[in-house]
Amino acid sequence: KFYKQGKNITVLMPYAQKLFRFAGWYRQLLAESIGKNSKVGITPVNALGATDQHSQLQLYSDGPNDKFFIFIEVENSNPKIPPFNKLLEVELNATREALTQKHRPCVTIKIPEINAETLGALFMFFEAEIAFLGQMFHINAFDQPGVELTKKLIKKALHANS
């Protein structure tokens, strides 16, 4: 729905340092699975709350309204420093509210903590999302012809130089 409304950029912003690499994985998954032709593509952006909210929120709030925001909230992201958890919660709530007031679409995925079970659930959730997007856009979300072409060209260049 959001893609058809001109939201062709998805920002994944976990509010936990330990999920920053996960956001990078999602960026790769979305880009190589859905970016298949000149008519279909969602540009993925990974960000880290609260760090990137301060460096990018101006663009997100008042720049082009072409983004869909996915926040990941971790209820207990730093059990050794409970006030830090509260600060991240306040930062996330304020960011989400500011974007909502600016009519920027947002969703929040809330997990209790970061462990094997919740990471597995996040991986499955986002992989299922990609499969559904592929169906919605009538594309094969499971191949990567653009990547394969680059691999062939690299292989050819390496063989030519050896």
Side-chain angles (χ1 to χ4, degrees):
K1 177 182 176 183
F2 293 119
Y3 184 79
K4 292 180 181 177
Q5 296 174 351
K7 309 299 188 245
N8 59 354
I9 299 171
T10 295
V11 178
L12 179 63
M13 186 181 292
Y15 274 72
Q17 178 70 40
K18 290 181 179 178
L19 290 176
F20 186 66
R21 290 180 65 128
F22 177 84
W25 167 83
Y26 176 71
R27 180 185 63 206
Q28 176 188 351
L29 179 69
L30 181 58
E32 72 182 17
S33 300
I34 302 302
K36 300 296 172 138
N37 60 50
S38 62
K39 295 178 184 170
V40 176
I42 300 171
T43 301
V45 174
N46 59 316
L48 180 64
T51 302
D52 290 328
Q53 94 190 24
H54 294 291
S55 65
Q56 298 172 15
L57 194 56
Q58 178 61 50
L59 171 65
Y60 296 162
S61 293
D62 294 332
N65 191 358
D66 57 357
K67 296 162 201 69
F68 172 67
F69 298 89
I70 304 171
F71 298 109
I72 300 178
E73 180 179 2
V74 183
E75 291 177 325
N76 196 14
S77 65
N78 196 333
K80 294 179 183 177
I81 312 172
F84 185 72
N85 291 331
K86 184 63 177 168
L87 176 60
L88 282 179
E89 179 185 349
V90 169
E91 293 268 0
L92 169 58
N93 290 338
T95 301
R96 183 176 46 228
E97 179 60 28
L99 291 171
T100 300
Q101 286 185 22
K102 296 284 188 160
H103 306 286
R104 290 356 193 204
C106 308
V107 297
T108 302
I109 298 169
K110 192 172 191 175
I111 60 174
E113 62 185 335
I114 299 169
N115 59 30
E117 182 179 346
T118 57
L119 277 175
L122 286 172
F123 280 117
M124 288 301 299
F125 174 82
F126 285 109
E127 287 175 353
E129 175 205 32
I130 295 302
F132 288 124
L133 285 171
Q135 288 293 312
M136 185 176 85
F137 292 132
H138 306 289
I139 59 170
N140 180 355
F142 304 105
D143 68 354
Q144 47 185 0
V147 174
E148 293 304 319
L149 174 60
T150 302
K151 288 179 182 179
K152 288 176 185 175
L153 293 171
I154 290 169
K155 192 174 186 178
K156 180 180 176 182
L158 289 173
H159 286 305
N161 293 328
S162 57

